[in-house]
Amino acid sequence: MTRPPQQEAAAPARFTRTLRGWLRGRRLFYLIGGVVLAVCARVLRAMEHPWEGKTALRIEKGYDWIGVDYLRFYGFWIGVGVTTVLGLFVLTARWWWPRANAAPPPGSPDDNGEPGASRDAAGSRSSRAVWLCLGGIVLLATALRVMQVDRLVLRDEQDSLRYHVSGFFERDVHTGEPVFREVTWPDAFAWNPGGNNPVLMSVSARASLALWQKFAGKGPEFANRLAMRMPALLAGIAAIAAIWWFVSRFAGQRAALVTAFIAAVHPYLITHSLEMRGYPFVLLAAPLALGFALLALRHGCWRHWVGLGASLFVMLSAYLGSAFFALPLALGILGILAARLRGSGGDPALAARAGRDLWRLLLVGVVTFALYVQFEGPSVICFYDHREKFPWVFRMRLNWWLTFWTENTTGRLFNRGGNADSDAAVFLAKLRETPVYWMLATVMLALAGAGLARLWREKADRATAILISAVALSPFIQVMAHAFILHRVLFFYYLIYWAPVFLALVALGLDGVANAVARRWFPAQSHAAGAAVICLFLGFFVWKAPAPLAVLMKKPLHQNGPVVIDRGKSHWIVYPEGRMIRISKEEPVPETFPW
């Protein structure tokens, strides 16, 4: 007996619905976890193991290791450990799944004690005007960065390029003939003797360069600055939108747009968001981590916790010192959840939500840390094996603090200019020369303080105030650690993760001051008057800061000749096309690529 056509057509639909109904929740997790474990096992089995091949020979003979040895040895054994952790994570899901996915009773309050309420400042849809303003700000940021993307290679960039991205030419010690020292993928992932390999940026720039070489038909000895800077450029532009998104989680759209605009034109952020180091990814991930943390504390969704973990993974993979940002953030979240659990007062709804979020935080933290150790572990161990006394140590001098202050407020580097006077004397002389500029730098600090005070006055969102205060202290914690524990050099731009938080507080304080002025002097047109006050300040900032908008009217900072950087007994020379050579300091510097 044949079935009617309608039943035959409905059979696949019923099968699809049945499959979807079965592949939900823990079953879907088991399926995904099984696939991930199978891939991990396949990779571990297929890779060249540390007890075979050239790595085994170098271990047996006691030879110096190279990048591939760290990747094979530590990459393999860390991979075994990470696979074991992930396997336990899957096998114990029957135990932790109900706890991490417990549904609070209906009508359970959010963190503000209001049933079903959402404290998103951007909870309502952004208006068309907001999207147009944000689009204009992102376009402006793109223009300011694209105009400088072909600038000369900086000293720190050159350190990363020669060993982790593009390689270099030098004369063979035996024949005297020029040879090319190619960078391999293991060099990008694991070779880090000087502690200056931002693995995420090195791998991204190496991949971008490889794509350019393939489509341009060039060999590995050719390089291109635009290709190598492309990941930094994209991350730096995306950071502007990320900063707006983060600030809009706790402040109004106006404050979020103001923060994005200042970040778009800020010289400090423009300079380091184009650098082939880890800073652009840190600048992108820091606001994302904070935004996801705020959402996770309010709503507790898995996607918010996973977003927080992914953001911290990016930060730490781009700059290990981001741990001074990640730890206060994680401890702040943990403290807030523990306080909610303790302060539930026996309320089952509050206790269930706090307990569920604690489980999600811990589970995401374990997986994120395991994946980070797999990705970054060989590089960190390589640095530890090659550690040596660094020629510079960090001392907390007035000059350092003045540079940190001026770079974060206006982007203008505090330069002593070879002056033999004390730091205080140089500062007072500069203060007398440009009092209006120093007034701007001081006002921005005052606005940041006003913004932080405004956060704490809004008692309805205490969790936000706690988190932002915790990460606002992170650079000062790192300064103390470098000065009294690590004794290693600390440049101000290592702390670039602080910039989005600082600028957000400046914008929040500015928004509060503008509202107060408008209500006091122009009550009938308070909204327009407040916007005018903000525009006046932004115009003042662009005028007195080093005028980044002027870049659009001037010739970009293209590299037209060789850039010479001295290291030890050698000249490291980068040519405009991106190729690099190493020669003795006794040799003359060729004006063009010599080989």
Side-chain angles (χ1 to χ4, degrees):
M1 179 177 177
T2 59
R3 291 181 298 177
Q6 294 83 356
Q7 291 186 7
E8 293 183 359
R14 285 198 301 271
F15 173 77
T16 302
R17 287 196 299 271
T18 302
L19 183 63
R20 288 178 179 174
W22 190 83
L23 285 178
R24 304 179 80 179
R26 197 162 64 203
R27 294 190 186 97
L28 180 60
F29 173 78
Y30 282 144
L31 177 62
I32 296 174
V35 171
V36 171
L37 290 174
V39 171
C40 291
R42 180 72 180 88
V43 171
L44 290 174
R45 183 179 179 182
M47 69 179 292
E48 183 175 335
H49 301 113
W51 57 82
E52 58 189 16
K54 294 183 178 180
T55 296
L57 178 63
R58 278 188 282 267
I59 294 174
E60 180 183 352
K61 300 294 185 181
Y63 296 157
D64 291 338
W65 285 21
I66 59 176
V68 69
D69 299 326
Y70 284 94
L71 194 60
R72 286 175 184 162
F73 187 88
Y74 292 107
F76 174 79
W77 291 115
I78 292 174
V80 170
V82 169
T83 303
T84 303
V85 170
L86 295 180
L88 292 174
F89 186 68
V90 173
L91 291 176
T92 58
R94 183 181 182 86
W95 174 70
W96 58 257
W97 186 274
R99 294 168 173 79
N101 291 282
S108 60
D110 69 351
D111 56 319
N112 301 303
E114 300 175 359
S118 172
R119 277 288 290 126
D120 264 349
S124 59
R125 290 187 178 183
S126 301
S127 66
R128 181 177 299 179
V130 170
W131 288 114
L132 288 175
C133 289
L134 178 62
I137 291 171
V138 172
L139 286 176
L140 175 62
T142 302
L144 291 172
R145 286 152 178 78
V146 168
M147 294 293 287
Q148 298 192 47
V149 74
D150 197 28
R151 71 187 184 192
L152 54 84
V153 175
L154 303 179
R155 182 184 183 90
D156 286 353
E157 289 181 304
Q158 177 262 350
D159 287 343
S160 295
L161 292 180
R162 59 183 177 183
Y163 293 129
H164 312 303
V165 180
S166 61
F168 61 94
F169 289 84
E170 67 175 352
R171 295 188 185 277
D172 186 270
V173 294
H174 301 293
T175 65
E177 295 296 320
V179 293
F180 177 63
R181 308 299 185 188
E182 183 178 358
V183 170
T184 63
W185 284 107
D187 294 330
F189 274 102
W191 186 240
N192 190 25
N196 57 359
N197 179 14
V199 177
L200 183 60
M201 177 56 74
S202 297
V203 172
S204 302
R206 180 74 184 85
S208 180
L209 178 61
L211 285 175
W212 174 82
Q213 290 168 344
K214 178 180 179 179
F215 288 104
K218 301 291 186 179
E221 69 276 12
F222 289 90
N224 182 279
R225 288 199 314 282
L226 295 178
M228 293 185 291
R229 277 207 178 102
M230 191 55 61
L233 173 66
L234 296 178
I237 294 171
I240 305 304
I243 289 172
W244 167 82
W245 177 80
F246 149 61
V247 179
S248 67
R249 297 310 96 187
F250 68 93
Q253 292 290 357
R254 188 166 71 178
L257 291 173
V258 168
T259 310
F261 176 82
I262 296 177
V265 302
H266 202 292
Y268 174 46
L269 272 59
I270 292 174
T271 298
H272 295 290
S273 64
L274 288 172
E275 198 166 345
M276 289 177 281
R277 301 279 283 178
Y279 314 122
F281 284 114
V282 172
L283 195 58
L284 169 63
L288 290 179
L290 282 167
F292 280 121
L294 296 178
L295 291 177
L297 288 174
R298 290 171 191 159
H299 309 301
C301 298
W302 271 113
R303 65 179 181 272
H304 299 144
W305 293 112
V306 172
L308 170 62
S311 301
L312 293 179
F313 175 87
V314 170
M315 283 191 71
L316 292 168
S317 300
Y319 170 49
L320 183 59
S322 299
F324 291 98
F325 175 97
L327 286 176
L329 179 61
L331 291 175
I333 297 171
L334 189 62
I336 291 169
L337 293 179
R340 289 179 182 176
L341 187 62
R342 184 178 179 182
S344 60
D347 188 326
L350 287 175
R353 173 167 181 162
R356 179 203 68 185
D357 289 347
L358 271 172
W359 273 104
R360 292 184 177 184
L361 171 64
L362 295 175
L363 291 169
V364 169
V366 168
V367 174
T368 300
F369 182 73
L371 296 177
Y372 169 73
V373 170
Q374 177 68 75
F375 185 77
E376 189 85 5
S379 171
V380 174
I381 295 172
C382 177
F383 171 57
Y384 181 80
D385 283 350
H386 292 82
R387 66 192 182 280
E388 58 187 19
K389 187 176 180 181
F390 202 74
W392 298 327
V393 295
F394 175 66
R395 296 182 179 89
M396 285 193 297
R397 293 175 175 173
L398 179 60
N399 179 54
W400 192 93
W401 287 110
L402 290 172
T403 302
F404 180 67
W405 170 26
T406 54
E407 281 285 355
N408 280 279
T409 52
T410 67
R412 180 182 294 184
L413 180 67
F414 179 80
N415 190 354
R416 290 178 50 87
N419 198 314
D421 295 336
S422 65
D423 292 340
V426 174
F427 167 65
L428 292 175
K430 289 181 177 291
L431 180 62
R432 289 190 293 269
E433 292 173 5
T434 54
V436 178
Y437 163 77
W438 289 100
M439 181 182 70
L440 172 62
T442 305
V443 166
M444 291 191 71
L445 276 183
L447 288 175
L452 188 61
R454 186 181 176 190
L455 268 183
W456 282 98
R457 284 198 304 268
E458 296 180 356
K459 297 181 180 180
D461 201 5
R462 184 57 57 85
T464 298
I466 292 173
L467 278 191
I468 293 181
S469 298
V471 296
L473 293 174
S474 54
F476 305 101
I477 297 173
Q478 185 169 358
V479 167
M480 296 297 124
H482 275 256
F484 300 110
I485 301 174
L486 302 177
H487 305 294
R488 288 188 64 87
V489 67
L490 179 66
F491 294 110
F492 63 89
Y493 43 81
Y494 289 1
L495 311 176
I496 199 169
Y497 54 73
W498 192 62
V501 179
F502 174 73
L503 295 182
L505 292 176
V506 169
L508 190 62
L510 176 62
D511 185 69
V513 171
N515 288 336
V517 170
R519 285 195 299 266
R520 175 67 177 84
W521 299 103
F522 308 97
Q525 301 289 336
S526 60
H527 184 76
V533 171
I534 291 174
C535 290
L536 285 174
F537 175 83
L538 295 180
F540 181 56
F541 174 83
V542 173
W543 171 48
K544 292 311 295 182
L549 293 177
V551 174
L552 293 173
M553 309 301 296
K554 296 181 179 179
K555 186 177 181 180
L557 303 176
H558 292 309
Q559 178 181 339
N560 298 317
V563 175
V564 182
I565 299 170
D566 290 340
R567 294 287 194 188
K569 299 180 180 180
S570 301
H571 285 314
W572 291 91
I573 308 171
V574 184
Y575 289 91
E577 67 272 19
R579 289 186 289 183
M580 186 184 308
I581 69 171
R582 178 170 120 178
I583 61 175
S584 170
K585 285 184 177 180
E586 298 175 358
E587 299 182 52
V589 175
E591 288 298 319
T592 58
F593 185 77
W595 302 318

